[in-house]
Amino acid sequence: MTEVTGKALNLTLCRTCGFQCELQARCPRCHARLHLRFRHSIQRTWALLLAALILYVPANVYPITVLTYLGQTSGDTIMSGVIALAKSGMLPIALLVFAASIFIPFLKITGMMLILLSIHFRWKLSANNRLLLHRFISSIGHWSILDLFVISIMAALMNLGNLATFIAGPASTAFAAVVVLSVWAAESFDPRLIWDLK
Amino acid sequence: MACQRMICRECDLAVNACDLEAHHDAFCPRCNHRLKRGSYVSLQGLLALSVTGLLLLIPTLTEPLLSIRMLGQYTEASIVTGSVLIMEAGFPLVGLVVLACSIMIPGLVLFLVTVMLLLVQRGLPSALGCQLLKVYQWLHTWSLLEVYLISFFVTVFKMRDFAVISPGLGLVSLVILVVLELYITSELDRERLWRSFAPVGGRV
């Protein structure tokens, strides 16, 4: 079967409203600018990914939570929090937090980089596998925010003045930025570019 | 049976897709992306659900979600307190992200869906509808109520060793709200809304 693409037919889908039409300056339906592919998709995705990668370091090095309990202050990084959870016998929860906070952000950044490099160097990887990877990254990306939600709930619950307080630490801003930037990176990537090289 | 040429959003393949029976979906033969759905829930039904969701926002915001007894003190957690504390502690961006994804965007999404469905009922082109739909499409992926719900369970497990935690009425309404919101965002036929708000001649 010969595969005819929209590009070959000069047909495009509006990125804003999904309207299908011949390539022209503006979408006849919503008047957004039309392009065959997202504009500067690869450059944007690289920029967002590199920013996320840089911020991934402080997000993991600095304490993400600070606990003050009966006058004693202690900070926990993401990893030390996961280890503490595992040691206290809550392995499933520890694995969930590990997956959401460490593994998924790492998978998102490296996975998207793999896709971008494979396009740049025209690696002969299965297009379908790369598309599945992109879909997986896009669908799971938002779950990384779980740890920040947990911190906000615990901060509200453990707000006992001088007795005990629990609050976000310096790594939390970097971590929030990693989550937002990596989701934007996945969104700014145009999956059709994977198929264009065939 | 009427057929039309459709371009796959994910892999750009031109596919001949025919009209579908209800509850049948059409998938791209090359990348398995869903090209179109046979049926959506009725707009009337969706409107009823989104109004219900808006009403449920009230107990979710006002009733306590969790309460805790620790070191002889009793504290209640609501959605807003945690993010305000984080903002006050010097991390305004983190607090803002948490507040936005946990309640502001989910609430706004329900409001937008309600207004858009009311506008569609008039059956007239609507510039306002187009603008709201653009905002909706931009925001709805950041409505993370389901993640928020799971984070409550994580919190309960994390704190169960040194505190007594009991769920509040707010948590019950949050659970219902999560189900409603997931259903509404998956059943909203955006193509139908675009056709109604900005009609054009037949497809190419």
Side-chain angles (χ1 to χ4, degrees):
Chain A
M1 190 179 82
T2 52
E3 292 177 334
V4 182
T5 59
K7 195 178 189 178
L9 298 166
N10 205 33
L11 288 175
T12 190
L13 295 174
C14 172
R15 198 182 172 182
T16 304
C17 74
F19 189 69
Q20 181 180 319
C21 60
E22 267 178 32
L23 184 62
Q24 48 197 290
R26 285 184 183 273
C27 171
R29 180 155 77 179
C30 72
H31 310 296
R33 283 185 185 279
L34 288 177
H35 303 279
L36 276 178
R37 299 288 177 264
F38 299 172
R39 287 196 78 203
H40 309 303
S41 169
I42 290 186
Q43 291 93 323
R44 270 171 191 272
T45 311
W46 266 122
L48 292 163
L49 274 181
L50 290 177
L53 185 66
I54 293 166
L55 287 164
Y56 188 74
V57 178
N60 280 284
V61 169
Y62 290 107
I64 193 154
T65 58
V66 178
L67 171 70
T68 309
Y69 192 74
L70 302 175
Q72 291 201 318
T73 301
S74 61
D76 255 326
T77 63
I78 299 177
M79 198 62 211
S80 70
V82 171
I83 293 170
L85 269 176
K87 275 186 180 160
S88 62
M90 289 178 274
L91 200 59
I93 299 291
L95 286 176
L96 180 66
V97 176
F98 177 79
S101 305
I102 300 179
F103 184 65
I104 293 177
F106 181 75
L107 180 81
K108 280 194 295 189
I109 296 172
T110 51
M112 284 309 300
M113 282 185 173
L114 176 75
I115 294 174
L116 288 175
L117 289 171
S118 76
I119 288 173
H120 187 87
F121 293 109
R122 294 165 180 265
W123 291 339
K124 296 256 180 286
L125 300 175
S126 148
N128 241 323
N129 284 350
R130 279 179 285 167
L131 190 70
L132 284 178
L133 181 62
H134 179 247
R135 268 183 212 163
F136 181 71
I137 290 170
S138 307
S139 61
I140 208 157
H142 296 90
W143 280 87
S144 314
I145 215 159
L146 182 92
D147 214 22
L148 293 180
F149 283 166
V150 172
I151 292 169
S152 86
I153 299 166
M154 286 184 71
L157 288 173
M158 295 177 67
N159 182 29
L160 307 178
N162 293 329
L163 289 175
T165 56
F166 180 90
I167 200 70
S172 58
T173 305
F175 184 75
V178 169
V179 177
V180 174
L181 290 171
S182 58
V183 167
W184 280 346
E187 280 177 2
S188 64
F189 177 72
D190 190 335
R192 293 170 293 192
L193 293 169
I194 295 174
W195 300 88
D196 280 349
L197 294 175
K198 289 191 82 175
Chain B
M1 201 171 358
C3 295
Q4 61 185 167
R5 186 163 55 193
M6 287 188 81
I7 305 296
C8 174
R9 181 171 270 282
E10 297 254 311
C11 76
D12 206 33
L13 186 71
V15 183
N16 219 16
C18 300
D19 283 349
L20 299 169
E21 290 174 40
H23 308 298
H24 286 212
D25 295 350
F27 294 90
C28 172
R30 182 159 80 167
C31 75
N32 211 29
H33 175 69
R34 184 162 62 194
L35 291 170
K36 65 175 180 180
R37 286 176 54 162
S39 59
Y40 288 87
V41 81
S42 76
L43 296 179
Q44 289 279 345
L46 213 52
L47 179 60
L49 290 177
S50 57
V51 172
T52 313
L54 280 177
L55 292 174
L56 270 172
L57 274 177
I58 299 166
T60 310
L61 280 167
T62 54
E63 297 293 318
L65 293 158
L66 286 180
S67 56
I68 182 177
R69 194 171 287 283
M70 184 180 152
L71 300 173
Q73 299 216 19
Y74 177 81
T75 327
E76 284 176 350
S78 71
I79 289 189
V80 185
T81 44
S83 31
V84 170
L85 283 169
I86 292 178
M87 285 188 209
E88 284 173 354
F91 307 104
L93 282 176
V94 183
L96 191 67
V97 168
V98 170
L99 194 61
C101 297
S102 61
I103 197 67
M104 280 163 66
I105 293 179
L108 194 59
V109 159
L110 286 174
F111 177 73
L112 288 171
V113 170
T114 308
V115 176
M116 287 191 297
L117 289 174
L118 287 171
L119 283 172
V120 160
Q121 289 199 330
R122 297 191 312 167
L124 299 171
S126 163
L128 174 66
C130 288
Q131 292 304 322
L132 295 180
L133 195 45
K134 278 183 198 169
V135 177
Y136 169 83
Q137 294 190 142
W138 191 64
L139 282 181
H140 82 280
T141 55
W142 288 101
S143 162
L144 301 178
L145 270 183
E146 68 278 16
V147 184
Y148 195 58
L149 184 64
I150 297 298
S151 60
F152 272 94
F153 296 112
V154 174
T155 308
V156 169
F157 274 100
K158 272 183 122 166
M159 297 182 73
R160 65 174 179 182
D161 281 348
F162 50 96
V164 182
I165 305 177
S166 34
L169 198 59
L171 199 59
V172 179
S173 67
L174 180 67
V175 171
I176 306 172
L177 196 59
V178 169
V179 177
L180 275 178
E181 178 114 10
L182 285 175
Y183 187 74
I184 290 167
T185 46
S186 75
E187 283 293 327
L188 186 71
D189 185 355
R190 281 183 269 158
E191 172 63 25
R192 165 88 174 73
L193 294 184
W194 277 115
R195 273 204 309 269
S196 168
F197 292 148
V200 278
R203 291 167 77 104
V204 178

